[in-house]
Amino acid sequence: MRWLADVHPDERGATIWATITVFLVLVAHSMLETARDALFLSHLPASHLPWVYLVLAGLALAATRLFSGSAAPQQHAEKLILLQIAAATGNLALLFLLSETKPAAALYALYVWGGLASTLILLRFWLMLSDRFTPTQAKRVFPVIAAGPLLGSLVGYGLAGVTARYMAPRYLLGVSAAVFLLSAGASYLMARAQACRASDDAATVIARPAHEELSIRESISLALRHNYMRRVALLLLVASVTVTLGDFIFKTVVAREISPAQLGSFLAASYFLFDLLALLLLFTAVVPFVRARGVTEALALQPVLLFGGGVLLTITGGLAAVLCLRGVDGVLRWSLHKTATELLYVPLSPRLRSAVKAVSDILAHRGGQALASLLILGWLAIAPSERLIGPILIACTMAWIYLALSLRQPYLDLFRETLGEGAIAMQIDFPELDMASLETLIAALSSPDDGKVTAAMSLLHETGRTHLIPALVLYHPSPPVVLRALDLFTQARRDDFLQNAKYLLHHADDSVRAATMRACSLLQPDVDLLRQAAASDSAPVAVTALVALTAAGHLDVPTFDARLGPYLEANPGDDVTRSLALALRDNAIPAFAPLMERLLGVADIATRREAIVAIGTLGDAAHLPLLLRQLATRELRAPTRRALLLFGDVGLEHLTNALHDPTLPRSVRIHLPRTLSRFGNQAAADTLLAALLSEPTGMVRYKILRGLGHLIANAPTLNVDPTLIDRVVDEQVRTIAQNLQWRVTLEQGAVEQPARRTTGYQLLVDLLAQKEGLAVERLFRALGLRYRDEDWSKLYDGRRSPDARTRSSSGELLHDLLGPTLRGVVVDLTEDQPLELRLAATRTYLDAEPLAYDALLLRLVEDPSVSVCCVASYHAAELDLRDIRAPLEARAIDPTEWLGGLRQKSLAMVSGVTSAIAERFSHEA
């Protein structure tokens, strides 16, 4: 049974003692319930039960105060132990009261006590466990713990059935009291196991602050305001009404059909059989069903079966029909239904869970009993026939099914909230500026800090308020501030500053004079002024004026070339080339094309950036190959992409051809996918999809996935072929599975022969783990293309979070989002668990049996990855594996695949390893 092995070593102590605790509680409860039902139904009519249910509901409201307050596990443990001791004391008191005369008051008290004591104990018990385990852990652990109450009921009803043959039912209360005391001891040991685990995790778990106590009114108000908790409480209310109706009709028919002398043994035998079936169901079907179908569908199974029982009751009536109804409840209550119900609370924050669980559990459960009691009283007054209660049961089960299935989205939203709390909110768009913000920005323009002034101007420009920048800023003593202001004024086509800017033509800084001349030539052309500037002693001013004169037709191209030549001879300064590039940017005409190309070859990045903008503005397709090469330079990538977008469909076609051209440098190809995604249309999406599986280079494939992700995020209506994405997902899962298998082989080999645990071994294991991490990221990116309605970046970050609850929330969402084939694989692959368990989830994706240790090293030496080849070769040399010499020497690396230092280092590593191994083998020979 694989699910038993799923309990991790760090969870086993608390799980074992929790199972023992709830086992003993249910042994005691089963004996108490058998004694209660036998004594009550033997001496009082079943028609009195509705009044007892109403009393139970009132007492449950008062008992809710026991569950308000802090969610600290230690307080849960203390209150749990006190409740168990109180239950034992109450049993002994009732044993004394129930003398041979059996007064009616004592029988009513016994029924109320039997319904209240175990409910309070189990509520506190599950609150304690919900704080201890994350949702993912709970799915593994809760079904194991759920075996405790089933075994306890089985043992308790079995002992009660045997005991009922030899003694009066009231003596079961004494045995029940003793078992309650034993369960208190088990609770103490369970609390200690949890406390030990908490101290071990103190360094990695964020401490939870203590929460203030909430009154009953505050708890109810909190539950009613919370959309999810309202739905949960309503679901539990309807479920309680349904099972209470079924329980009442069962006891009514049993009391009528079974003699009082046989009633105790019949009830014990029936309950024993129900719990035996429930235990078998738990061991065989509960965990697979919850893991495969999810929590909400698990909640809907019991009402579906009860619906069938209600139909049978309506048609036939009698003992067989009510046994079916009670059997469904008895078999599923402590197995599937209890596990699924407790999982509903685990995603809640500790404060919310502690505040509302009592309200939703006790009040909804007992409130449902009260509502059912009113229905029963009305039924008794009208037509007390069990067949007529069938339609009421059918209606209740239908409501139960609807509420269970409608919980799915709110349940998943809880996990999204958890992921959102761990995400960093980033403001991408500029916010709306209020008057106070504008006043702050305007004040910043007078700051002595140049950075603050330019930042304030840029923010005003980005928000469309360039007109608010005062022209007097041009008198700022800092040239960078003046240059930025002139550039922004020119972009906004403001001309109100020109009168005040004339003095800048005599500024001490050449760049400021050139920028002023450029602004004047664009906004208020003056041919005489330009001619004077063209003869200026300042080279930046002169080349700016020459470009403006030529663009306006006042200077022919040959004359322009002749006059510009001296400024570009030898080694012109950066200020000259930069001013020339800026002038070309603002005056892009075909005659300047050769000059633009020339400027792309200079060393100054700022010059090349403006030349790229000029080429994009010019729009000559002959320059596209030249533009593509600029993608290799990080600082030029953004302007190059903007320039390529200006070419429209022609640029898109050129990029498409380039993506399929393996002769292009890798430094260019890896940036083509992101550039294509900027086009944001279906043609770009189709191009990237077509290249996704045909592209041989892993880094380019990764970039394609990123590009597609950005494209779809910005244009969500674009079509993406799901079958193609499914193939990519399948490929990534196979890659992860292969890396896992290799790591397992290496680790097992190191255990078998500790001498293998060398430096090379550790490097190789770490390298494979890193490659697996990259494959996981590619997998999540591909899934983001397949299932677009979810934020997969948050899911990916959540699975890597150091916080266990965040990781669990991400896992729960993954489980729900993915189809039946993928959900278990992806969740298990990304789970924080031993490699062997993760590998077991991917067996179907592995085509071959695992290789032996030495054979695996030979396989890794031939891996396409140079890094894997080098590290595997080094480790093989450490182990004196001579078979690697031939494949290593025959290894051919295509230099075009590797860039600069990376290529040289990789080739040097291969060469060094090869030489070292050859020298060693030759020496030993």
Side-chain angles (χ1 to χ4, degrees), residues 41-63:
L41 295 176
S42 298
H43 297 83
L44 295 172
S47 59
H48 289 193
L49 283 176
W51 300 105
V52 178
Y53 295 154
L54 290 171
V55 173
L56 271 173
L59 292 175
L61 177 62

Side-chain angles (χ1 to χ4, degrees), residues 799-848:
R799 292 305 275 172
R800 299 164 63 232
S801 170
D803 180 66
R805 290 192 176 272
T806 302
R807 291 197 306 273
S808 179
S809 296
S810 180
E812 292 302 304
L813 284 172
L814 282 173
H815 188 275
D816 184 82
L817 291 169
L818 301 178
T821 304
L822 268 182
R823 61 165 58 112
V825 175
V826 175
V827 172
D828 287 345
L829 273 180
T830 56
E831 183 61 72
D832 182 18
Q833 58 183 346
L835 289 181
E836 290 79 2
L837 291 179
R838 295 173 59 204
L839 180 61
T842 63
R843 292 294 184 189
T844 57
Y845 287 84
L846 295 171
D847 299 326

